[in-house]
């Protein structure tokens, strides 16, 4: 069965550093999402991406965050200058189209620790 | 506004007991989807079920069953004869269509289930 993959699985970084989290969506999926889960808390929507642009973003997704699909396959989340509170599990999810309304497929997550 | 409430923060049961995890949702849409995900200690989100708002039939899959009641905006999940491997955090989620055409998920706060041997 096709699956969403994410790299790295774990990342440790120093506060103020830039990080890029990568996701390889299921091929032919058109909609892409990032979610965040702070340890022990619920999963929260960050951003959705379709047709090479952001469709919707949450209030968490401030100017420090950006997303892109640079090569038509990888879908990346960049945090420009990490803060301690960015420490969380980041999940990528992909989805076929709005008409079929299939389930979003979640990747295994990247666990980010900001020191 | 959309909201998902999982009032049970943590439940402990002894193996072989049945357990029900509650989920109550709020939405103004007539078309929406409800989901349950399992998050084991390893952290990934494991899809369990999707139910659309027009299908109120209950579903059973092995030891798992789901009770969807639109009248009470609830989508409860029952594990029959629980096993230690069922120990995990379980999330209920709601998906609504957005003006952008995408369907973001709204998750509940999760219920941590501990099944004791």
């Amino acid at each position: 069965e096709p699956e969403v993959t994410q790299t790295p699985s774990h990342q440790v970084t120093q506060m103020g550093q830039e990080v890029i989290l990568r996701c390889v969506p299921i091929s032919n999926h058109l909609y892409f999402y990032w979610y965040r889960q702070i340890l022990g808390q619920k999963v929260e929507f960050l951003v959705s991406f379709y047709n090479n642009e952001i469709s919707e973003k949450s209030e968490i997704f401030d100017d420090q965050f950006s997303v892109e699909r640079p090569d038509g396959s990888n879908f990346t989340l960049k945090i420009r200058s990490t803060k301690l509170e960015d420490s969380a599990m980041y999940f990528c999810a992909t989805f076929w189209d709005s008409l079929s309304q299939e389930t979003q497929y979640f990747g295994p997550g990247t666990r980010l620790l900001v020191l | 506004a959309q909201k998902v409430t999982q009032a049970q923060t943590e439940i402990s049961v002894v193996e072989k007991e049945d357990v029900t995890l509650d989920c109550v949702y709020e939405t103004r849409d007539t078309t929406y989807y409800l989901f349950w995900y399992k998050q084991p200690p390893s952290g990934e989100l494991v899809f369990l079920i999707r139910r659309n708002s027009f299908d109120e039939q209950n579903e059973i899959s092995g030891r798992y069953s789901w009770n969807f009641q639109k009248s009470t905006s609830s989508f409860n999940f029952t594990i029959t004869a629980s096993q230690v491997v069922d120990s995990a955090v379980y999330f209920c989620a709601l998906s609504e269509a957005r003006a952008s055409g995408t369907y973001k998920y709204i998750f509940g706060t999760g219920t941590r289930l501990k099944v004791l041997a």
Side-chain angles (χ1 to χ4, degrees):
Chain A
E1 187 177 315
E3 58 181 23
V4 178
T5 59
Q6 289 185 242
T7 56
S9 57
H10 294 78
Q11 178 141 8
V12 181
T13 190
Q14 295 291 324
M15 194 168 56
Q17 295 296 305
E18 173 184 287
V19 295
I20 297 176
L21 310 183
R22 291 185 169 80
C23 168
V24 178
I26 294 171
S27 66
N28 80 358
H29 278 198
L30 302 177
Y31 292 80
F32 312 108
Y33 303 79
W34 284 101
Y35 291 84
R36 180 183 84 174
Q37 184 184 29
I38 293 172
L39 186 64
Q41 298 187 22
K42 68 178 178 181
V43 180
E44 300 174 289
F45 169 78
L46 286 178
V47 66
S48 58
F49 189 85
Y50 169 70
N51 201 25
N52 282 320
E53 59 183 27
I54 290 174
S55 319
E56 185 177 353
K57 58 184 180 179
S58 72
E59 60 274 9
I60 303 168
F61 194 88
D62 61 23
D63 292 344
Q64 292 300 312
F65 292 90
S66 63
V67 289
E68 63 176 359
R69 204 162 175 233
D71 55 9
S73 58
N74 290 312
F75 176 51
T76 62
L77 173 68
K78 183 194 290 187
I79 309 175
R80 241 179 294 283
S81 177
T82 49
K83 307 186 195 80
L84 295 176
E85 54 265 36
D86 293 327
S87 296
M89 177 80 102
Y90 289 81
F91 291 103
C92 172
T94 75
F95 169 46
W96 168 224
D97 63 44
S98 61
L99 292 180
S100 61
Q101 234 306 249
E102 292 299 324
T103 305
Q104 288 182 23
Y105 289 78
F106 282 83
T110 292
R111 201 177 292 274
L112 176 65
L113 178 60
V114 182
L115 303 175
Chain B
Q2 327 91 296
K3 188 177 175 184
V4 176
T5 301
Q6 294 181 256
Q8 304 151 308
T9 307
E10 184 168 313
I11 301 175
S12 292
V13 298
V14 176
E15 210 170 17
K16 296 189 182 145
E17 284 185 1
D18 299 346
V19 58
T20 295
L21 310 182
D22 298 333
C23 173
V24 174
Y25 62 93
E26 292 176 31
T27 176
R28 284 179 289 203
D29 276 10
T30 54
T31 302
Y32 53 89
Y33 291 78
L34 295 163
F35 303 82
W36 276 95
Y37 283 85
K38 174 182 179 180
Q39 188 174 46
S42 49
E44 72 272 24
L45 291 168
V46 179
F47 168 76
L48 295 177
I49 190 171
R50 177 188 77 234
R51 174 64 73 221
N52 76 51
S53 52
F54 299 109
D55 182 2
E56 283 194 75
Q57 278 196 324
N58 292 330
E59 180 153 340
I60 297 175
S61 175
R63 296 185 296 108
Y64 295 169
S65 61
W66 291 269
N67 183 350
F68 176 30
Q69 297 209 345
K70 277 178 86 167
S71 59
T72 55
S73 296
S74 66
F75 186 43
N76 297 338
F77 172 32
T78 297
I79 302 174
T80 303
S82 58
Q83 299 175 2
V84 172
V85 294
D86 296 327
S87 298
V89 180
Y90 290 85
F91 289 97
C92 180
L94 166 70
S95 170
E96 294 179 334
R98 315 296 295 164
S100 59
T102 60
Y103 291 78
K104 74 176 188 184
Y105 281 24
I106 304 296
F107 283 84
T109 49
T111 297
R112 181 177 301 275
L113 175 65
K114 291 184 177 177
V115 182
L116 308 171

